[in-house]
Amino acid sequence: MATSLELAERLLRRFKGVPNFDFTDAQELVDESLRYHGLDPSADVPSDKEKLVLLYAQIQGAWQVAFSVAHY
């Protein structure tokens, strides 16, 4: 089991090369993913849901980054 903070740290490492992406961004994405999947952000995340939560958060983060640079 992991906490929302631990998942946010893992997500932050995945986005380490993205300028201006910080821990707050990672935490918001993880918390949004937890709520979307019916989980409480303040509770431990079941081991079998960790990958699901991280994958959803990573997809949403990548989507946001892609749209923010699309005009280039």
Side-chain angles (χ1 to χ4, degrees), residues 20 62-72:
N20 300 320
W63 189 79
Q64 290 175 10
V65 169
F67 271 103
S68 70
V69 297
H71 65 282
Y72 290 114

Side-chain angles (χ1 to χ4, degrees), residues 12-62:
L12 182 60
R13 285 193 299 271
R14 293 180 183 186
F15 281 84
K16 67 181 176 183
V18 177
N20 300 320
F21 187 88
D22 60 17
F23 185 78
T24 302
D25 298 318
Q27 186 66 58
E28 288 174 3
L29 288 168
V30 167
D31 287 350
E32 176 186 336
S33 178
L34 287 166
R35 284 190 291 278
Y36 181 82
H37 290 96
L39 299 168
D40 181 2
S42 64
D44 286 345
V45 180
S47 298
D48 64 332
K49 300 289 185 190
E50 288 178 22
K51 287 183 182 180
L52 176 69
V53 169
L54 274 176
L55 182 60
Y56 184 87
Q58 188 173 351
I59 290 168
Q60 292 304 312

